Amino acid sequence: MQAFRTVMSPLMASVAVLAGGFVLFNLAFVLYALVVSLPQILSGETIEWVASALPVILGTTGLSLLIGLAVWYLVDKRLRKDAILASLLTVPLMAILVFIGIVLYGQSDVVIAAIGALVILPLLAYCLWKKVPWVYTLAVLYVGILGVVIMVFDVQI
């Protein structure tokens, strides 16, 4: 059982950062879209996607809770808190990169990537310099790589 836990703990911590971070920032963007659309909703205007927002919110919230419970029971105690905090770290990092992309919309991809790198690279250097637990470094790398993928494949939000 100890060998299983030794292998499963870092694997589940990685899943928490990668899958948990993805689920959390999708949930954050859906909630933000609802908040932005709230005046239209309250005025009685029909917005097509709002009807499907509740199942998405409930599903992603449930998935977030399941990932959190899996981390709580499958990740070693010393890594548990860091895995949860690292997956939470992905949300503001991705929000910052999305904000940079929105503000600089229409600029060259090189400019947008350079500004994004000015956010990600110092954080990555800090993680390596301070020798923080590896899940934080994974979270920063994940968000940086996902930001590049979003830019390369021209994903529209």
Side-chain angles (χ1 to χ4, degrees), residues 22-63:
F22 185 76
V23 167
L24 286 173
F25 55 73
N26 279 311
L27 179 63
F29 287 135
V30 169
L31 290 174
Y32 176 72
L34 277 176
V35 168
V36 168
S37 301
L38 196 58
Q40 291 174 319
I41 295 168
L42 293 176
S43 70
E45 287 185 41
T46 304
I47 302 174
E48 299 294 324
W49 64 269
V50 172
S52 63
L54 183 61
V56 170
I57 290 171
L58 291 175
T60 53
T61 300
L63 192 54

Side-chain angles (χ1 to χ4, degrees), residues 20-115:
F22 185 76
V23 167
L24 286 173
F25 55 73
N26 279 311
L27 179 63
F29 287 135
V30 169
L31 290 174
Y32 176 72
L34 277 176
V35 168
V36 168
S37 301
L38 196 58
Q40 291 174 319
I41 295 168
L42 293 176
S43 70
E45 287 185 41
T46 304
I47 302 174
E48 299 294 324
W49 64 269
V50 172
S52 63
L54 183 61
V56 170
I57 290 171
L58 291 175
T60 53
T61 300
L63 192 54
S64 297
L65 290 173
L66 284 174
I67 292 170
L69 286 172
V71 167
W72 190 258
Y73 290 108
L74 297 175
V75 175
D76 289 335
K77 192 173 186 177
R78 60 183 163 72
L79 186 59
R80 186 179 303 151
K81 177 183 163 191
D82 293 322
I84 292 170
L85 290 176
S87 60
L88 290 173
L89 174 66
T90 62
V91 176
L93 284 179
M94 183 53 75
I96 289 169
L97 291 184
V98 168
F99 180 73
I100 290 169
I102 290 170
V103 168
L104 297 176
Y105 184 76
Q107 299 295 322
S108 166
D109 283 349
V110 174
V111 172
I112 296 171
I115 301 294

